[in-house]
Amino acid sequence: MNNKEKLLKEVHDISNKLRTFQKAYYIDSNPLVSDMEYDRLFDRLVTIERENPELKLDDSPTQRVGSDLDSDFEEVEHTIPVLSLDKAYSGEEIISWINKCQTKATSNLNFVLEQKIDGISIVLYYEKGILKRAVTRGNGAIGNDVTNNVRTIKDVPLRLTEEINVAVRGEIYLSKKEFEKVNKTLEQPFANPRNLCAGTIRRKKSSESAKIPLNIFIYEGFFEKDEYNFNSHIDILAKLKQLGFRINPSLAIFSKTKQKAKELLTLASLKGSANEFDEIYEEIKKQTETRDSLEYEIDGLVVKVNEIEVREALGYTVHHPRWAMAYKFESPFSQSVVESIDIQVGRTGRLTPVARITPVEIGGSTVSNVTLHNQQYIDELELAIGDSVEVSKRGDVIPAVEQVIEKNEDNNTTYKMPSSCPICSTEVEIKGAHTFCPNPYCPKQVFGRLEFFVAKSQMDIDSLGPKTIEVLLKLDLVKDVQDLYNIDFEKLSEEKGFGEKKINSIISALEKSKEQPFSRVLTSLGIPEVGKKIVDMLIKNGFDSIDKLYELVDKKDYETLCNIPLIAEKTSKNIIDTLDDKTMRDRIASLKNCGLNMEENVVNTPKLEQIFTDQVWAVTGSFKSFNPRTLALEEVEKRGGRSVSSISSKTTHLLLGKGGGSKKTKAEALGVKIVEEEEFLSLLGSDKKKKEETTFQQGELF
Ligand SMILES: [Zn+2]
C-alpha cells in the first residue's frame, strides 16, 4: 500500500466511524463517544481533505459544517409527485372522509395520524444510498436545489444503510427553543421559527446555514417499484427508519379495534399510539391542547390511509391525493389592508414604523396596529401603503405582517422611513437595522424616559403619573430625569390642580424614592435590554456600584461582563456604550448628587436550603398565602429552583391554586407533578423548621 492508498483507507475508516457517531448522536439521541474523541477524528479528516482534496468523499461527514463558497439555487424538476393535501377543519369532516374511503375498500382500512410540522417542505433524492439532491417544494413540479445547505442539517443522513435509489419527503424545522436563542442574537429578528428556517435554507453560504441547528422529520418514501413491495404506510415508515431517517415518533394508528392497531405497530416495530376509529375526536382534541408544549410548532395533523393498494385505487385529484387529509388548527392568520404607517419614537430614540390596518379578528382578538420593526423589515416585505397583507397572531406573540398578498392600485411604492424625526425634526441616524433620533432632548424621548424612570418596577414614584409628567414638561420644570429632584414647586403650585396636598405627596414620594436600592436605580436608567434579571446578575457578580461599572466603561472592556451568566456580547456592549454616553454620564452624576443610591447595600440574608435544585416550577390559580402568586415562585427561586411562565416538557412542577384551568390540563397531559398550596407550604415549612433546629444546635455550643 502506498501513502495515498493508506490515506484513502484512513478517510474511509474515519468517515465510517463519524457516520456511526453522528447517527447515534443526532438520530438515536444516544452518543457513543465523548465530544473530544469525536472532534479529534473530525479534525483529522478535515486536515486530510484539505491537503488531498481528491480524496474527499461525496458523502463526507465534514460537509456538515458547510462551505464559504456561494451556492446558487439551480431550478430542478421533481421526479416524484409533490402534492399538497386536502384540508378539513373539524373532527366530523375527518370521520366522514374516513367513511368515504372505507366504502371504496373491500376490507377494513387502517389510518395513520401524523403531526403536520410547521416548517419547510423538502424532497431528498438519494442515488445508491448517497444524498445527491435536496430540492424545495417550489411549485410542485420545479423546485430549488438547496443541497449544500441541507447537507449541514445534522439529522439528514448523507449516506443510507443500504445502497438504494429513493426519494423522500420531509419537513425541515427549527425547534422553538433554538428559535428563541438564535432570534435574540439577530439584528433583524424573524416573526416565527418557520421564517427563520426558510431564511436559513436559502443562505448563500452553507457555512452560515450550518450555524442554525435545523432538524428534519421524514414522512414519505418513494422507492423504485421493483425494489420493495410495501403493503402499508407504516411499513414504509419502518423502512425509512431502518435506512437512517428520523421519523416523528408521535404517530397514532386508528383501526376497527385497538388490538388490530397495536398489532400493526408491533409488526412494523414502530412506537406510537393504538386506537379505535371513534377515538380520533379525542386524539385531535388532545393534540390541539398540547401543541403549545411541543418542542416544535405544528399547524395541524395529517390522516392517511395505511393500505398502499387502497391508496392506488383512491388515486389523486389534480392537486391532492384522495388518500390523505390534513386537519388544520384554527388559523392564526387573517387578511387586511395597510391604511397608513405611523412612526413612533421611543425613550431610546428609536423610530419604529407601525402599520395601521383595517381592524381584523385574529385568533380571538381584534388587531389594528402591527409593528413593522424597521426599514429592512419593510424592504423585505416590499410593503407599501394600501397593500393587502396577511397578518398573523400566534399565541401570546405580538401580531406580525407575514406577507403582501395583493399590491395597492394607487401606485404606492415600498414605504420609506422619514429622514428626520417626526417629533423634533432632527436628522435621523441609522445604527444597524434601526433608525434613531439622535437628540436626547427630543420631547418623546424625554417623556418616555421619565415615564420609565418613575414606573412601579423602577423608582416606583406613584404620584408622578403620565398627566403630571406632561404638566412638568409643558411648564419646562423638568428637562430630564435628574430634574425631578429639583422641581420648582412654587411655580408648579400656580398650576391648576396642584394644591398643597398634591404637591406634598409628590415631594414625599420623591424623597422616599431616594431610599430605593442601587439595583432599582440602575434598572431605571433604561439601558436597552437591561432589566431586573440582568441587574441582579451584575450585582451578584460583584458589579454592585456605579463606580465598579465605570471602571469597565472607561477601559471599554466589553469582555469581562460576557463571563457573567445571562449576559451576552450584545448586552455587554449595550451596557458599556450606553453608560459611556455623555448625556448619561451627566445624568448619573446629577442623580448621585441628589442622593440616590449608587452602591448596593448587600444584606446577608441567610441562605435557605436548596430543596428545589434542578426543578422547574410554573404556577396557576390563586392562593391564600401568595398574592400575587409570583411570590410563591420567588420562594422556589430562593431555594434553588427555576420558575417559568408557561408549561413545557421541561417543567417539573405545577403549583396549583384555586381556579387553575388550562395549565392543569396541560400539566396532566405532560405528566408534570401537581402540587397544591397546603403541600407547598409544608415543603417550605420543613425547610424553615430545619433552620430553627440548626440555630438551636449552634446555641447549645455556647
Ligand atoms: Zn426627535
Side-chain angles (χ1 to χ4, degrees), residues 327-359:
Y327 169 82
K328 293 280 280 180
F329 293 135
E330 199 185 326
S331 172
F333 299 102
S334 237
Q335 199 172 329
S336 183
V337 175
V338 176
E339 293 176 353
S340 63
I341 295 176
D342 285 353
I343 300 291
Q344 287 178 350
V345 183
R347 64 182 163 82
T348 61
R350 192 165 129 187
L351 270 56
T352 308
V354 177
R356 309 286 178 206
I357 60 169
T358 313

Side-chain angles (χ1 to χ4, degrees), residues 421 424 437 442:
C421 172
C424 70
C437 164
C442 173

Side-chain angles (χ1 to χ4, degrees), residues 111-125:
F111 291 82
V112 184
L113 181 141
E114 298 166 354
Q115 291 172 338
K116 195 166 175 297
I117 310 289
D118 191 8
I120 300 302
S121 182
I122 196 89
V123 187
L124 307 177
Y125 293 93

Side-chain angles (χ1 to χ4, degrees), residues 645-690:
S645 54
S646 62
I647 296 185
S648 73
S649 56
K650 300 270 151 54
T651 315
T652 59
H653 293 73
L654 174 68
L655 179 58
L656 178 66
K658 270 214 173 91
S662 66
K663 273 192 187 164
K664 183 180 175 223
T665 321
K666 207 157 149 189
E668 280 167 348
L670 288 165
V672 171
K673 188 169 164 48
I674 295 177
V675 177
E676 293 188 26
E677 183 165 10
E678 205 168 314
E679 191 189 340
F680 185 68
L681 284 171
S682 80
L683 284 173
L684 301 184
S686 68
D687 166 52
K688 216 171 136 199
K689 212 167 116 205
K690 254 185 212 153

